Amino acid sequence: MAGKRIKSGLKETVHKYLFPKKKNPVSARKINFSYDKKKILRNFSFTARTSQIIAIVGRSGEGKSTFLNILSGSLTGGYSGKVAINGYGKVLAREDIGFVPQEISIVPDLNIEDNIVFFGSLYGLSRSRSIESGKELMKIMELDVPLSANPAELSGGQKVRLNIVVSFLHKPKVMILDEPFVGLDFYNRKLLWHFLEHQRNRRKTVVITTHMLTEAEIHSDRIVLLHRGRVFADGKLKDICRKLKTHFVLEMKMGSLNKRHKYDIANYCVEHNISLLDSFGSYKMFSVESAGQKNYFLKFLEKNDIKYEETGFREPTLDELFLKVKSV
Amino acid sequence: MIGKSARILKKMYIMPQSFIGFLTREYKLLFRKKKYLYLSMALPVILGLIYIFMLGGSATSIPVIVCDYDNTSATRNILGSIGDFDIVYGSGDNCTYELQESLRRREFLFGIVIGKGFTERLDNLQQANIDVYYDNSEPSVSSLVEWKFDLALQPFKNALVYAVGSEIKQQSGDAKEKTGIALEVAEHVGGFSNLKIKLSEVDEELGRMENIDPAYLSNPVSVGKKGIYEEFSIKEVGIAPLFAVLNLFLILMLCSTGVIYDRKTQLFARIRVSNSSFATYILSKAVFFSFVSVVQFAVLFLLFSVFGAGYDLSLVLLVKALLFISLVNTFAGIIIGLLSDSEGVAVLISLIITLPLLFLSGMFYPVDLMPFLVRMISDVMLLNTEILMMKQALLFGGVIAMDYFIIPALMFVISLYFIGKK
């Protein structure tokens, strides 16, 4: 009996080494993290495949950056759970990770070349290899500045791009970017998205956090919506719409509402799972599940003698869905 | 398994490269931040020159105002015999008041008042008094005044005592002659045995008085200073405490503010996610600041040598001492940088550590004369050990035990612990 068990165990081990299971490049299991007794991440699990851009979105303080810090190895303690990059733990996985922190973290008193050489050396790159890799990345990022220039001479957008260049000199398989679009104009954001798409096409896994929801919706393959430290929704926009039961938004202008009207509308919305997403003066925005639901709602308004003017009925954007998450 | 081993080997291979990367970065930053470079190189020169000229150069004449109410040739002689004093004479009945006012206005460092009857008292072999006024809100002047005036008046006092001594000698000789005659008469006459005995005793006493040494009267017991290292001058012994203090001050400042700079530029986050390590980072700082310490020492050494200091250098001891000093100071600087929130706080903590150590180092006041508790604190301060190591390396040799290096090793571990917490 014991011999049989040993034999099967050996067989299993040999098989494991000869035919290793293809691992997800990024895998995080049951991550819990608290700060000042406040639970930031609760049993948060996450996986990512190669050639994917995954945007992690959520309100400020929901734990997006914390999660990226744990994933990248920047946060080394104080959390529970398991993180693996290409099957390796945080110490051995470092050469596979490229992390761009939220704040620009270049050495301001060194010129671009010295910055590139220094950050390359952190990954064991020689001077020539660092410069070669740096030039290549600068070209993709359209960072057309001399290597002898000082970071102080660069514009905000150029600094962000240089910050990204020095983070990816070692050509990591997993690229993690913490809110890289902050303070960037449309041109620079487009440039960065194209860079990330280029990396995706080179079989890289890209994980970013962002508040640019509409752009994330267009450019990323997956959106992970964080809410109260948990994954609220994971997938494309339509998956989130399904999860939130919000397939359309109805925009209208309403005449003055008395107390009774307000009470009736609120009751109707609760009974029929309609949410008021936004309200400013006479402008109101509701989330509805279908065109039929909208028609019933309008009939209800007419029946109650509430004056309105319909100004829009369309599919929601991620930003608008985000408003719904807030009310969940 | 193979993949893991390969990665571990790769990490080990990367370590020297990232170490050189850190070193190059520190070196380039020092050259880019020119002010730091000038400070770290200029300070040894400035402090060295101040030290050499403060202790080796001659003092300029001291401005002194005098109210001489006695105004005799004797008082003028006294004042004239005082060297180093640039004397201005006051006059009038309000002279003392004017003297005090001019001291308050800082026109003079000292004021001397010689009262009426000064010369007369001296002539009557009575103690005479000179009042010295000074600004007692200046601690340095307070400690200087007694010493400086004792020193300045010493030749005059000696002259007085010598004069009195000579007179005593002279008069004792004269009296002895007379007792000699009386004794001769007593011998011739015969009898008077009691009188002869008494006369002999008086004659003997007078003989002692005649042979009196005037120096005995002015200073019965003289103290001869015999330094056990007679070959060393103040210049030669000064380099050890000066370098230890300077290095402590500069390395604490440069290293702690450097760590704050690295924290502000998010370098720690970069190191954490990179293939490098904090141990490499700390070691590179230690090596870099050891190099800075060697340069600082070389600057001081050359400066002191140019001004005539000679050393019995032991290279092995010097390497050990420099290594110990720079490692301890660098790790202390790193810990300060990690515990401070800003450059300002880091500089303040560095000063808070450096200044008390300076007083407890025995550089200005002998530690052995301090109260027991202060001596205890001073004994455990590393600065004193560092000064002793430098003295051993430069002056009198000895042994620097390798056990001492447990201290920087412990500090390295503490630095690593704090950096991990950041």
Side-chain angles (χ1 to χ4, degrees):
Chain A
M1 191 69 179
K4 252 189 180 178
R5 212 183 290 161
I6 292 167
K7 205 174 163 187
S8 80
L10 266 173
K11 216 173 166 182
E12 203 177 294
T13 313
V14 170
H15 190 268
K16 207 170 132 186
Y17 280 105
L18 287 179
F19 310 101
K21 225 165 67 180
K22 208 163 181 195
K23 286 177 177 127
N24 280 321
V26 179
S27 146
R29 273 197 305 149
K30 293 183 176 174
I31 306 290
N32 283 287
F33 179 80
S34 300
Y35 185 75
D36 270 356
K37 290 181 184 170
K38 189 189 167 195
K39 283 219 160 195
I40 306 290
L41 294 172
R42 303 157 191 253
N43 269 341
F44 182 86
S45 293
F46 173 88
T47 53
R49 293 200 302 270
T50 45
S51 302
Q52 266 196 338
I53 297 178
I54 299 126
I56 299 177
V57 300
R59 283 191 297 164
S60 297
E62 293 282 16
K64 302 186 298 290
S65 294
T66 306
F67 174 61
L68 287 203
N69 283 330
I70 291 171
L71 201 61
S72 64
S74 175
L75 193 69
T76 49
Y79 67 90
S80 64
K82 251 192 168 177
V83 173
I85 305 288
N86 286 325
Y88 293 107
K90 58 190 176 188
V91 177
L92 294 181
R94 286 179 184 174
E95 63 183 77
D96 291 339
I97 303 171
F99 177 57
V100 182
Q102 203 166 341
E103 284 132 44
I104 292 171
S105 56
I106 44 184
V107 188
D109 293 295
L110 294 183
N111 65 24
I112 294 175
E113 185 177 335
D114 290 338
N115 263 294
I116 287 173
V117 171
F118 169 64
F119 285 109
S121 78
L122 295 184
Y123 293 92
L125 300 185
S126 65
R127 185 184 176 81
S128 56
R129 264 191 70 192
S130 298
I131 292 175
E132 188 192 325
S133 179
K135 278 183 179 169
E136 189 188 320
L137 285 167
M138 281 170 77
K139 197 174 169 191
I140 301 169
M141 297 287 285
E142 293 183 25
L143 191 57
D144 191 17
V145 285
L147 287 178
S148 58
N150 259 333
E153 297 164 28
L154 305 183
S155 69
Q158 286 174 324
K159 274 183 198 160
V160 173
R161 279 181 273 160
L162 179 63
N163 197 30
I164 292 166
V165 166
V166 299
S167 306
F168 298 146
L169 289 166
H170 59 298
K171 299 187 169 81
K173 289 171 187 157
V174 177
M175 296 174 153
I176 301 168
L177 300 94
D178 193 5
E179 299 197 17
F181 302 103
V182 173
L184 292 187
D185 60 16
F186 180 70
Y187 168 75
N188 276 301
R189 292 206 304 272
K190 267 272 175 249
L191 211 63
L192 188 46
W193 277 118
H194 290 325
F195 168 77
L196 296 178
E197 283 166 342
H198 177 81
Q199 296 303 321
R200 174 179 58 192
N201 297 341
R202 298 173 97 184
R203 297 190 55 77
K204 304 282 167 89
T205 305
V206 180
V207 184
I208 62 162
T209 60
T210 181
H211 287 289
M212 303 287 166
L213 303 179
T214 310
E215 287 172 17
E217 178 191 326
I218 297 165
H219 296 281
S220 56
D221 301 293
R222 242 173 85 196
I223 294 160
V224 176
L225 185 56
L226 262 181
H227 184 53
R228 291 178 184 160
R230 289 198 177 95
V231 177
F232 183 80
D234 187 346
K236 292 292 287 180
L237 182 67
K238 59 178 188 319
D239 301 313
I240 299 171
C241 288
R242 200 178 305 130
K243 170 98 183 181
L244 288 166
K245 292 178 182 166
T246 302
H247 294 285
F248 298 97
V249 288
L250 171 65
E251 290 173 291
M252 55 173 63
K253 281 183 177 173
M254 283 184 171
S256 59
L257 300 171
N258 59 31
K259 266 190 180 174
R260 177 82 207 161
H261 287 154
K262 282 180 186 168
Y263 179 77
D264 288 343
I265 292 171
N267 263 352
Y268 185 89
C269 286
V270 171
E271 279 168 22
H272 296 86
N273 204 16
I274 294 172
S275 300
L276 178 67
L277 297 179
D278 193 17
S279 168
F280 183 75
S282 61
Y283 172 81
K284 312 276 180 228
M285 183 198 274
F286 295 95
S287 71
V288 289
E289 278 182 64
S290 63
Q293 195 184 33
K294 176 201 105 178
N295 290 336
Y296 278 118
F297 183 49
L298 296 183
K299 270 181 195 166
F300 161 78
L301 296 177
E302 282 159 16
K303 197 176 152 191
N304 284 280
D305 207 19
I306 299 168
K307 287 193 173 62
Y308 70 90
E309 182 196 337
E310 187 182 327
T311 54
F313 182 66
R314 54 181 173 75
E315 287 182 356
T317 64
L318 190 58
D319 293 86
E320 286 155 357
L321 285 175
F322 206 62
L323 292 172
K324 173 104 190 227
V325 178
K326 275 169 77 174
S327 60
V328 173
Chain B
M1 193 65 176
I2 296 164
K4 269 189 182 174
S5 309
R7 280 182 182 231
I8 291 165
L9 281 175
K10 195 175 173 187
K11 266 185 95 68
M12 284 163 73
Y13 166 75
I14 281 168
M15 242 166 74
Q17 252 165 324
S18 65
F19 179 77
I20 292 165
F22 280 124
L23 268 185
T24 317
R25 175 181 163 277
E26 292 285 351
Y27 170 78
K28 292 212 166 177
L29 276 176
L30 192 68
F31 275 87
R32 292 275 150 78
K33 294 170 163 184
K34 288 263 182 340
K35 279 177 194 163
Y36 278 141
L37 182 69
Y38 296 149
L39 178 79
S40 51
M41 291 306 115
L43 207 58
V45 176
I46 295 166
L47 286 185
L49 284 175
I50 289 173
Y51 186 87
I52 288 164
F53 287 117
M54 186 177 77
L55 294 172
S58 58
T60 54
S61 55
I62 301 164
V64 177
I65 183 167
V66 173
C67 290
D68 185 0
Y69 293 110
D70 206 33
N71 199 18
T72 60
S73 59
T75 56
R76 278 193 292 277
N77 274 344
I78 295 173
L79 296 167
S81 68
I82 298 173
D84 295 341
F85 280 15
D86 185 10
I87 293 171
V88 171
Y89 288 92
S91 59
D93 294 339
N94 274 343
C95 186
T96 308
Y97 174 76
E98 289 297 331
L99 175 144
Q100 289 181 30
E101 284 304 304
S102 59
L103 287 179
R104 283 190 192 106
R105 289 195 299 271
R106 292 172 179 270
E107 289 167 10
F108 299 95
L109 193 62
F110 299 119
I112 298 174
V113 175
I114 302 176
K116 265 200 178 306
F118 177 85
T119 314
E120 195 185 334
R121 286 186 70 82
L122 286 180
D123 288 343
N124 294 334
L125 297 180
Q126 287 173 317
Q127 192 183 45
N129 180 52
I130 291 177
D131 288 325
V132 178
Y133 289 75
Y134 65 99
D135 181 358
N136 58 342
S137 67
E138 291 276 351
S140 56
V141 179
S142 300
S143 58
L144 179 76
V145 61
E146 211 169 326
W147 166 72
K148 197 74 193 169
F149 272 85
D150 268 347
L151 212 64
L153 291 174
Q154 199 58 46
F156 173 72
K157 286 186 198 169
N158 285 347
L160 279 180
V161 173
Y162 270 77
V164 173
S166 301
E167 200 182 326
I168 291 170
K169 261 176 100 120
Q170 176 72 39
Q171 287 185 9
S172 306
D174 292 349
K176 197 169 181 296
E177 259 183 51
K178 286 162 192 164
T179 49
I181 294 164
L183 270 172
E184 272 178 37
V185 171
E187 281 294 333
H188 280 290
V189 174
F192 303 109
S193 57
N194 274 347
L195 181 68
K196 275 193 320 199
I197 291 165
K198 292 281 176 203
L199 272 172
S200 297
E201 280 172 11
V202 172
D203 190 62
E204 207 173 300
E205 286 296 319
L206 286 170
R208 278 185 64 214
M209 297 295 272
E210 196 181 10
N211 293 326
I212 197 165
D213 179 7
Y216 168 82
L217 291 176
S218 67
N219 191 9
V221 179
S222 72
V223 177
K225 283 206 296 185
K226 301 278 178 201
I228 50 167
Y229 303 105
E230 271 184 48
E231 64 273 28
F232 303 137
S233 71
I234 193 85
K235 272 180 203 162
E236 273 130 11
V237 296
I239 191 170
L242 196 66
F243 171 74
V245 169
L246 178 83
N247 190 267
L248 174 75
F249 178 71
L250 266 179
I251 301 295
L252 282 194
M253 293 265 198
L254 290 177
C255 192
S256 60
T257 51
V259 169
I260 300 271
Y261 177 84
D262 294 342
R263 279 171 60 193
K264 276 188 179 168
T265 54
Q266 304 277 317
L267 181 67
F268 290 179
R270 292 278 193 194
I271 294 172
R272 240 184 223 118
V273 299
S274 77
N275 247 342
S276 185
S277 66
F278 285 125
T280 316
Y281 168 79
I282 294 173
L283 282 177
S284 71
K285 282 229 179 260
V287 169
F288 179 75
F289 284 109
S290 297
F291 174 73
V292 172
S293 302
V294 169
V295 174
Q296 280 177 351
F297 173 76
V299 170
L300 266 183
F301 186 78
L302 280 175
L303 193 76
F304 274 69
S305 301
V306 163
F307 282 91
Y311 297 101
D312 188 10
L313 202 90
S314 158
L315 207 61
V316 176
L317 288 180
L318 184 66
V319 170
K320 274 187 180 178
L322 285 178
L323 197 63
F324 178 83
I325 293 170
S326 52
L327 287 181
V328 164
N329 294 345
T330 305
F331 294 144
I334 290 173
I335 294 167
I336 292 168
L338 291 170
L339 297 178
S340 310
D341 303 322
S342 66
E343 269 110 338
V345 177
V347 169
L348 258 177
I349 295 178
S350 303
L351 279 176
I352 285 169
I353 291 174
T354 311
L355 289 178
L357 277 182
L358 202 62
F359 285 106
L360 296 178
S361 68
M363 201 173 166
F364 301 118
Y365 192 72
V367 177
D368 293 320
L369 302 183
M370 293 179 186
F372 175 72
L373 191 69
V374 183
R375 260 186 293 148
M376 288 274 287
I377 297 167
S378 173
D379 283 346
V380 294
M381 293 294 173
L382 285 177
L383 186 65
N384 294 1
T385 313
E386 291 175 3
I387 291 171
L388 184 69
M389 281 183 179
M390 285 306 291
K391 279 183 180 171
Q392 284 181 310
L394 291 168
L395 302 171
F396 43 75
V399 180
I400 296 176
M402 288 307 284
D403 299 358
Y404 277 117
F405 285 86
I406 293 169
I407 297 167
L410 271 175
M411 291 175 87
F412 172 76
V413 174
I414 294 167
S415 310
L416 211 54
Y417 170 78
F418 280 121
I419 214 167
K421 289 264 166 201
K422 285 287 160 191

